[in-house]
Amino acid sequence: MEKHYQIILKDTEERVYESMRQQIMDENNPNQGAFLDDDHILDAKYTIYRTASMMALYCNSDSELYRSKELLNRIRLGFKFAKMMQHESGLYDYVTCNFNSAPDTAFSIKKLMPFFFYLRDIVGDKRTAEENEMFETMNEIIEKAAHGIMTGGFHTPNHRWAIASTLMECAKIYDNDDMRACANRYLAEGIDCNEDGEFAEKSAGNYNRVNNDAMITLAEATGDASYEDYAVRNLYMMLHYWEPDGSVYTANSTRFDKDRLSYPTDYYTEYMLMGQRHNVPEFYEMCNSIIDICQSKNLLAPDCLIYFMWYPEWRTIEHDGLYSNPDYHVFYKNSGIARNKSGRYTYTTMSGKSNFLYFHNGSIKLEMKVAGSFCEHRAFKADTIEEIPGGVHLHQTMHGWYYLPWSADKIPETNDWWQMDNANRDKKMGPDMDIDVWVTESSEKDGIDVRVKTSGVDGDPWRIELAFTGATFIENDHLAMHLSGNEALTVKDGNVELSNSKDTLVIGPAFGTHRFMEGKEDSELRNAGASTVYFTDYTGFDHTITIRNKRSQF
């Protein structure tokens, strides 16, 4: 991948030049050496990441900053700040969130590990005095951090694997059985990767690749190659998670990346390493595609120059062709998601989510909700999702209920509502509302049909919410207007076209028997930045909405 190497080298230089303007160089400033992020936050992890990029260039003979005295000074100052911010315990703070944080300390020294191994194993006794200084500084930070990480504590599922994999790696470096035993206490919980290849947080935009990295590290540190199976399984699944515009599908994430625009740059090293070790041509093709996405979107290439130095054979591996991203219809039952690609568009259905349907044609994204107010319910969130011929069926039963007065044997001593154990009250149950949704692809492969049926309760004003991003114009038989985002329109009949300069979605037939779009208190807000089209009716209703992509028709 020599071409990739050259692109990554140049982009690393650009990244470092950008970082230089962020570094505090005033010798009278107590935080000299720190890198200020875009919010001017002083954080050890951010400084370690920026310093690491600098080290890659300093040690790389192909770089225009190779053995630069100015760069060496900045690296020294970055490490000076990193050492200053490391507590005596060995732990770091993640100052916007977590303090004395074992997982964030693990993330920090994980960034240093490839550099540590490169200088220890690849350069070895040929290290210059300056390179040896870097190596010894990293060694000091890593060993101290490992002892702190053993004190433990985590918040999220992926934190366990960051801690366990880092401790296993350090146990191997320092031959420390206590570190190994501590790591095994985390691993005893079992890896939370299901048969689909999905980790618990369903975070395709960030934490899937964090978990993959931890699994790869565990395999290397323990010698148990089965840990890599989790990463390989997830990377295969992720082949079905790219959208037509090159972004990652993130709508089912349970973490901060949900619905964020994210590109797959950080998966590069995992696809490359697992492609090499497991001889998977599609993984090499994904590496080509990731670099192609970076170039087409004017993104900096992955910050992984050190991997080409740590694994020098990567420069000699060549594999032609981009990942073809063929059409697929996959149903991940354990994850409650169906992903589909047909030509120019993808569509996705999910259980347990109010935005249960996504349609993406590369320039326009549509999200659909079925929303309203029924007792405490504010939107349809499917309890079940099952495959049917040509699509999926989603279902939810919403249970109505009312509290009853306390029975004689349960009357509490207090008359303070907030101190009463109201969950222990008897209830009057019913009525129930059933909502069923069937999503099937058109026979012409130019879009989908969405049938929505409500039953069990009559006369409740509900709505179909269609939120569009990327559309700049809306038109039907009665109106034509430009869109800038945040519009809210109820369309009462006929089809409606949402378009931009590249493509058009045709949606309908519309219906609008009421204009109760906002819902009751606690109803979900409209998608910020999206133009929302409403179809409205009273329950029970049975409507089929067609979604057609015009450029798929020729």
Side-chain angles (χ1 to χ4, degrees), residues 520-544:
K520 298 290 286 183
E521 63 273 9
D522 302 325
S523 289
E524 296 182 10
L525 299 176
R526 293 197 305 269
N527 290 12
S531 301
T532 304
V533 173
Y534 294 99
F535 299 167
T536 68
D537 202 353
Y538 295 94
T539 61
F541 59 74
D542 190 344
H543 292 290
T544 297

Side-chain angles (χ1 to χ4, degrees), residues 421-439:
D421 182 15
N422 286 301
N424 195 36
R425 284 181 182 267
D426 294 329
K427 294 178 180 178
K428 173 188 175 182
M429 302 304 297
D432 290 344
M433 181 187 289
D434 288 302
I435 300 181
D436 291 274
V437 177
W438 294 266
V439 180

Side-chain angles (χ1 to χ4, degrees), residues 453-471:
K453 180 182 179 182
T454 61
S455 58
V457 174
D458 293 329
D460 191 352
W462 274 60
R463 63 195 180 274
I464 310 296
E465 293 187 14
L466 305 163
F468 298 88
T469 52

Side-chain angles (χ1 to χ4, degrees), residues 234-388:
N234 180 262
L235 292 172
Y236 270 116
M237 186 201 78
M238 288 296 299
L239 294 178
H240 299 139
Y241 271 62
W242 310 132
E243 295 292 52
D245 63 350
S247 64
V248 179
Y249 180 77
T250 60
N252 65 329
S253 175
T254 65
R255 299 300 307 278
F256 73 87
D257 58 311
K258 183 183 185 303
D259 287 323
R260 287 197 178 185
L261 181 63
S262 177
Y263 293 98
T265 54
D266 289 332
Y267 284 91
Y268 180 90
T269 55
E270 296 171 0
Y271 273 117
M272 187 68 189
L273 195 57
M274 294 299 95
Q276 178 188 13
R277 290 184 184 171
H278 297 271
N279 192 29
V280 183
E282 295 93 333
F283 289 5
Y284 286 139
E285 290 166 2
M286 272 307 305
C287 291
N288 290 337
S289 293
I290 288 170
I291 296 298
D292 186 68
I293 290 168
C294 290
Q295 301 243 281
S296 65
K297 300 294 180 182
N298 198 28
L299 303 170
L300 289 178
D303 187 16
C304 64
L305 179 61
I306 188 60
Y307 280 83
F308 278 87
M309 300 158 65
W310 188 14
Y311 300 107
E313 69 274 14
W314 282 16
R315 293 180 63 178
T316 65
I317 295 173
E318 295 298 337
H319 187 93
D320 293 331
L322 303 175
Y323 180 62
S324 62
N325 200 14
D327 289 354
Y328 55 79
H329 298 276
V330 294
F331 178 57
Y332 293 125
K333 182 178 180 180
N334 294 311
S335 301
I337 183 170
R339 284 278 296 166
N340 307 270
K341 178 180 180 293
S342 288
R344 297 184 60 84
Y345 61 81
T346 61
Y347 62 98
T348 307
T349 50
M350 298 176 290
S351 62
K353 303 283 187 178
S354 61
N355 49 343
F356 69 94
L357 173 67
Y358 280 69
F359 189 97
H360 200 313
N361 68 7
S363 62
I364 301 174
K365 181 173 72 173
L366 161 64
E367 301 177 40
M368 180 184 285
K369 295 181 183 179
V370 177
S373 301
F374 173 68
C375 294
E376 79 272 23
H377 303 282
R378 296 296 180 264
F380 168 69
K381 298 179 181 179
D383 297 321
T384 61
I385 180 172
E386 61 178 351
E387 282 190 291
I388 60 174

